[in-house]
Amino acid sequence: MAKVPSAVVAAGGLVGGYGVARWTKKRQLGGAVLAVAGAAAARQWRERAGGPAAGALTAAYVVAFAGSHPLAKRVGAWPAVFGVAGVVGVASWVVADRRG
């Protein structure tokens, strides 16, 4: 069975977390999706690229989540979420996934 690339897990966590929070109107549930996906991606990052890279990508994931909020005020919620998810996904692919 092929592993899901960490870029997909990370980007999916950001998009999925927001989607769940929005559609269920339960922010905590969206936060749980975000956290589980982030932890799964961090584990893959550590396995594929090592601890320092995993730390940097985890920080990027958290910054992307936090940064999507002020960005949403300028461009809208969904464009902000898709934008930051794309950035994290590309960074994840470049640092961890393309090697495998």
Side-chain angles (χ1 to χ4, degrees):
M1 178 190 236
K3 279 190 171 184
V4 176
S6 63
V8 173
V9 174
L14 289 161
V15 172
Y18 175 69
V20 167
R22 181 175 177 125
W23 290 318
T24 65
K25 298 188 181 356
K26 297 193 185 306
R27 295 178 74 182
Q28 298 86 351
L29 190 55
V33 170
L34 180 81
V36 168
R43 182 175 176 213
Q44 288 181 314
W45 294 329
R46 180 177 298 280
E47 290 172 358
R48 295 176 184 175
L57 288 168
T58 300
Y61 186 81
V62 172
V63 167
F65 167 70
S68 69
H69 292 81
L71 182 60
K73 292 179 183 190
R74 292 182 176 265
V75 300
W78 280 112
V81 171
F82 284 129
V84 299
V87 169
V88 169
V90 168
S92 179
W93 181 80
V94 167
V95 173
D97 292 335
R98 74 175 169 165
R99 297 177 186 181

